[in-house]
PDB file of all heavy atoms in Angstrom:
ATOM      1  N   PRO R  55     -20.845  12.835-144.551  1.00 94.00           N
ATOM      2  CA  PRO R  55     -21.431  14.181-144.622  1.00 94.00           C
ATOM      3  C   PRO R  55     -22.930  14.156-144.927  1.00 94.00           C
ATOM      4  O   PRO R  55     -23.681  14.998-144.425  1.00 94.00           O
ATOM      5  CB  PRO R  55     -20.648  14.845-145.759  1.00 94.00           C
ATOM      6  CG  PRO R  55     -19.370  14.087-145.851  1.00 94.00           C
ATOM      7  CD  PRO R  55     -19.685  12.678-145.460  1.00 94.00           C
ATOM      8  N   THR R  56     -23.367  13.193-145.719  1.00 92.00           N
ATOM      9  CA  THR R  56     -24.788  13.096-146.072  1.00 92.00           C
ATOM     10  C   THR R  56     -25.630  12.603-144.902  1.00 92.00           C
ATOM     11  O   THR R  56     -26.739  13.101-144.660  1.00 92.00           O
ATOM     12  CB  THR R  56     -24.971  12.146-147.272  1.00 92.00           C
ATOM     13  OG1 THR R  56     -24.230  12.639-148.386  1.00 92.00           O
ATOM     14  CG2 THR R  56     -26.440  12.037-147.657  1.00 92.00           C
ATOM     15  N   ASP R  57     -25.107  11.631-144.162  1.00 94.00           N
ATOM     16  CA  ASP R  57     -25.901  10.980-143.120  1.00 94.00           C
ATOM     17  C   ASP R  57     -25.871  11.697-141.773  1.00 94.00           C
ATOM     18  O   ASP R  57     -26.804  11.545-140.973  1.00 94.00           O
ATOM     19  CB  ASP R  57     -25.423   9.538-142.919  1.00 94.00           C
ATOM     20  CG  ASP R  57     -25.690   8.661-144.129  1.00 94.00           C
ATOM     21  OD1 ASP R  57     -26.563   9.037-144.941  1.00 94.00           O
ATOM     22  OD2 ASP R  57     -25.032   7.616-144.280  1.00 94.00           O
ATOM     23  N   LEU R  58     -24.847  12.484-141.511  1.00 96.00           N
ATOM     24  CA  LEU R  58     -24.740  13.141-140.207  1.00 96.00           C
ATOM     25  C   LEU R  58     -25.954  14.003-139.870  1.00 96.00           C
ATOM     26  O   LEU R  58     -26.462  13.933-138.746  1.00 96.00           O
ATOM     27  CB  LEU R  58     -23.461  13.979-140.132  1.00 96.00           C
ATOM     28  CG  LEU R  58     -22.193  13.253-139.673  1.00 96.00           C
ATOM     29  CD1 LEU R  58     -21.020  14.224-139.661  1.00 96.00           C
ATOM     30  CD2 LEU R  58     -22.364  12.631-138.287  1.00 96.00           C
ATOM     31  N   PRO R  59     -26.449  14.838-140.795  1.00 95.00           N
ATOM     32  CA  PRO R  59     -27.622  15.660-140.439  1.00 95.00           C
ATOM     33  C   PRO R  59     -28.848  14.823-140.068  1.00 95.00           C
ATOM     34  O   PRO R  59     -29.621  15.197-139.190  1.00 95.00           O
ATOM     35  CB  PRO R  59     -27.867  16.489-141.707  1.00 95.00           C
ATOM     36  CG  PRO R  59     -26.558  16.515-142.407  1.00 95.00           C
ATOM     37  CD  PRO R  59     -25.937  15.188-142.138  1.00 95.00           C
ATOM     38  N   GLN R  60     -29.019  13.675-140.738  1.00 95.00           N
ATOM     39  CA  GLN R  60     -30.150  12.804-140.414  1.00 95.00           C
ATOM     40  C   GLN R  60     -30.010  12.211-139.014  1.00 95.00           C
ATOM     41  O   GLN R  60     -30.973  12.163-138.242  1.00 95.00           O
ATOM     42  CB  GLN R  60     -30.244  11.676-141.440  1.00 95.00           C
ATOM     43  CG  GLN R  60     -30.422  12.139-142.879  1.00 95.00           C
ATOM     44  CD  GLN R  60     -30.373  10.966-143.855  1.00 95.00           C
ATOM     45  OE1 GLN R  60     -30.671   9.832-143.513  1.00 95.00           O
ATOM     46  NE2 GLN R  60     -29.981  11.249-145.086  1.00 95.00           N
ATOM     47  N   LEU R  61     -28.808  11.769-138.686  1.00 97.00           N
ATOM     48  CA  LEU R  61     -28.570  11.194-137.363  1.00 97.00           C
ATOM     49  C   LEU R  61     -28.716  12.253-136.273  1.00 97.00           C
ATOM     50  O   LEU R  61     -29.285  11.989-135.210  1.00 97.00           O
ATOM     51  CB  LEU R  61     -27.170  10.566-137.316  1.00 97.00           C
ATOM     52  CG  LEU R  61     -26.978   9.340-138.218  1.00 97.00           C
ATOM     53  CD1 LEU R  61     -25.500   9.005-138.363  1.00 97.00           C
ATOM     54  CD2 LEU R  61     -27.730   8.140-137.663  1.00 97.00           C
ATOM     55  N   ALA R  62     -28.222  13.458-136.554  1.00 97.00           N
ATOM     56  CA  ALA R  62     -28.335  14.548-135.577  1.00 97.00           C
ATOM     57  C   ALA R  62     -29.782  14.973-135.379  1.00 97.00           C
ATOM     58  O   ALA R  62     -30.179  15.373-134.274  1.00 97.00           O
ATOM     59  CB  ALA R  62     -27.484  15.738-136.022  1.00 97.00           C
ATOM     60  N   ARG R  63     -30.579  14.871-136.421  1.00 97.00           N
ATOM     61  CA  ARG R  63     -32.007  15.198-136.283  1.00 97.00           C
ATOM     62  C   ARG R  63     -32.688  14.212-135.339  1.00 97.00           C
ATOM     63  O   ARG R  63     -33.571  14.589-134.556  1.00 97.00           O
ATOM     64  CB  ARG R  63     -32.669  15.165-137.661  1.00 97.00           C
ATOM     65  CG  ARG R  63     -34.165  15.503-137.628  1.00 97.00           C
ATOM     66  CD  ARG R  63     -34.774  15.407-139.010  1.00 97.00           C
ATOM     67  NE  ARG R  63     -36.215  15.670-138.978  1.00 97.00           N
ATOM     68  CZ  ARG R  63     -37.018  15.520-140.019  1.00 97.00           C
ATOM     69  NH1 ARG R  63     -36.523  15.103-141.185  1.00 97.00           N
ATOM     70  NH2 ARG R  63     -38.300  15.772-139.912  1.00 97.00           N
TER      71      ARG R  63
END
Side-chain angles (χ1 to χ4, degrees):
T56 301
D57 294 340
L58 273 180
Q60 301 175 26
L61 294 166
R63 180 182 177 187

